[in-house]
Amino acid sequence: MADSNPPPPSTDRPLADRPGPARPVYVIGGGPGGLAVAAALRARGVRAVVLEKSDRVGASWRGHYDRLHLHTTRRLSGLPGLAMPRSFGRWVSRDDVVRYLEKYAEYHELDVVTGVEVTRLERTDDGWLLRATGGRELTGRAVVVATGHNHTPHVPDWPGADTFPGDLRHASAYREPSPYADQDVLVVGIGNTGAEIAVDLAEGGAARVRIAVRTPPHIMRRSTAGWPAQRSGILCRRLPVPVVDRLGRAIARVSVPDLSAHGLPRPDTGLYSRVREGAIPVQDVGLIDAVRSGRVEPVAAVESFEGGKVLLADGSRVGPDAVIAATGYRRALEPLLGHLGVLDPRGRPRVLGPRTAPEAPDLYFTGFTTPISGTLRELARDAPRIARAVARSQA
């Protein structure tokens, strides 16, 4: 894996000219979930074609900020059929994740077609019609949607934001802190991305770093006495929600200091209750020390922009040079398949993994949750289950 820029595992040949049966299983998305499912299908002798809208696999990982490392351990983050190398270390960097995904597609000889974006799915009498860029119409016997939980960057429609004279951008456009040297920066949102970017800025030379908090998060040590938080998540995942909430509260009191005096009180709701609502705990990679030392200052949530200032929920105003919105993503599945009745009111797939909705047989979804046991681990577990279900349905 020494070569960090191997050629992408793709081909320029038209899809109609590709060898093999005429009606493959199409996997939409060339990230970890899509590649894992394609490998699992290939292992069962099922032809799978991965359709990736960018020019290379792992596109979303390539776009993350430079500092990023997995919050899950290397040993529990590998995909089926190929372990992550020991040389990557315990907490794998963004660049090494990308290298791994490239190697994974090559190792499993996956059929990956890049530069093709599927825009709409339609059910046919005996399978699926995929409408894609360039006027393509592809027919498949089954479809696996693996476009991911974090698909489209979302910035709230803050009143007055268009008049802000400073730099306002989504966290997806942030790479590293040097452009913000000696600047006053406001990071909006205290999920894992916002927390880590705030620490990166504080350590990278920003003059002042504030982080806007609407709901105080649960903060966990990534590892305590060598025991990774991920393993606790695996052990607790099947327990009743109230039990995990109580355990989480007890662990937090022992391992995480009370930051209330610094503007970051402990949450009122339980840890697992929040996870079930989609709020993953913040893994501490320097946030606790940065808040205690005053290098990162928690402030109230952003309400609006006015006269070059940012109005906060507590009525105060701040005047940062730059605002970085770590305000999450949207799944953006509605244009693709909102007409099929398979999404809930929040735009999430109603069924996941090896199950399919009665009105959409042979349509599968993977990668649309953020489990405390680790996303990559669950993608790896999901892939063979989906492949088995596909093989059974096509038998």
Side-chain angles (χ1 to χ4, degrees):
M1 290 195 184
D3 184 358
S4 61
N5 293 293
S10 61
T11 177
D12 293 330
R13 283 180 297 162
L15 291 175
D17 297 339
R18 301 174 73 81
R23 298 177 65 246
V25 174
Y26 282 108
V27 180
I28 305 175
L35 297 180
V37 170
L41 286 166
R42 190 176 190 280
R44 285 186 166 270
V46 178
R47 181 174 177 242
V49 177
V50 179
L51 303 177
E52 167 56 46
K53 69 177 182 179
S54 73
D55 61 348
R56 291 177 290 181
V57 299
S60 63
W61 277 94
R62 297 173 192 276
H64 288 313
Y65 48 93
D66 295 351
R67 176 193 178 101
L68 180 65
H69 285 66
L70 290 179
H71 294 155
T72 55
T73 66
R74 170 185 56 80
R75 292 183 64 184
L76 295 174
S77 300
L79 302 178
L82 183 67
M84 288 188 173
R86 291 175 60 88
S87 60
F88 284 2
R90 193 181 199 196
W91 310 107
V92 182
S93 72
R94 177 203 65 183
D95 289 348
D96 282 339
V97 171
V98 171
R99 292 186 183 99
Y100 172 71
L101 296 178
E102 292 172 338
K103 183 64 177 179
Y104 191 85
E106 176 188 344
Y107 177 83
H108 287 291
E109 299 180 342
L110 301 183
D111 195 354
V112 180
V113 183
T114 59
V116 176
E117 181 178 7
V118 180
T119 56
R120 186 176 174 89
L121 292 178
E122 296 177 7
R123 181 68 185 164
T124 65
D125 291 339
D126 59 351
W128 289 92
L129 172 67
L130 295 77
R131 300 189 185 277
T133 49
R136 297 178 177 88
E137 293 188 353
L138 313 173
T139 56
R141 50 179 171 156
V143 175
V144 182
V145 180
T147 51
H149 190 270
N150 296 337
H151 183 271
T152 302
H154 169 70
V155 177
D157 187 19
W158 289 306
D162 57 342
T163 66
F164 180 63
D167 179 57
L168 169 60
R169 65 180 62 196
H170 189 267
S172 59
Y174 175 87
R175 293 294 174 268
E176 48 90 21
S178 63
Y180 302 92
D182 301 319
Q183 291 191 20
D184 183 331
V185 186
L186 174 66
V187 179
V188 184
I190 196 169
N192 278 294
T193 297
E196 193 156 355
I197 288 176
V199 173
D200 199 33
L201 289 164
E203 294 178 352
R208 186 175 188 178
V209 181
R210 284 173 282 214
I211 187 164
V213 181
R214 185 169 298 278
T215 305
H218 287 274
I219 302 174
M220 301 177 63
R221 300 286 189 184
R222 186 168 63 175
S223 179
T224 302
W227 178 264
Q230 181 188 10
R231 288 200 177 274
S232 296
I234 293 170
L235 293 174
C236 292
R237 192 177 181 202
R238 302 299 179 188
L239 294 177
V241 172
V243 172
V244 181
D245 283 348
R246 287 195 294 271
L247 287 172
R249 224 172 271 120
I251 293 171
R253 290 196 192 98
V254 173
S255 62
V256 178
D258 187 355
L259 302 174
S260 299
H262 302 280
L264 201 57
R266 294 190 190 277
D268 295 328
T269 53
L271 184 150
Y272 205 19
S273 295
R274 292 283 303 280
V275 169
R276 295 291 289 270
E277 297 170 358
I280 295 299
V282 171
Q283 300 278 331
D284 177 46
V285 289
L287 178 68
I288 292 173
D289 289 342
V291 169
R292 294 176 79 180
S293 66
R295 291 177 296 135
V296 172
E297 308 168 45
V299 296
V302 171
E303 291 294 319
S304 63
F305 290 71
E306 184 179 303
K309 301 288 186 180
V310 181
L311 177 64
L312 304 179
D314 61 2
S316 62
R317 284 177 167 80
V318 296
D321 301 306
V323 175
I324 299 173
T327 45
Y329 295 78
R330 295 292 182 264
R331 301 169 191 85
L333 291 171
E334 290 83 357
L336 178 67
L337 43 75
H339 56 287
L340 298 175
V342 296
L343 303 179
D344 69 14
R346 295 174 61 182
R348 303 173 301 184
R350 290 195 288 108
V351 294
L352 299 169
R355 297 184 299 136
T356 62
E359 61 271 38
D362 301 316
L363 176 63
Y364 303 86
F365 296 88
T366 188
F368 291 93
T369 61
T370 52
I372 59 175
S373 49
T375 298
L376 290 177
R377 177 182 182 271
E378 296 308 320
L379 289 175
R381 290 163 60 85
D382 232 10
R385 296 168 183 162
I386 293 174
R388 184 165 56 248
V390 170
R392 284 176 179 168
S393 71
Q394 303 298 324

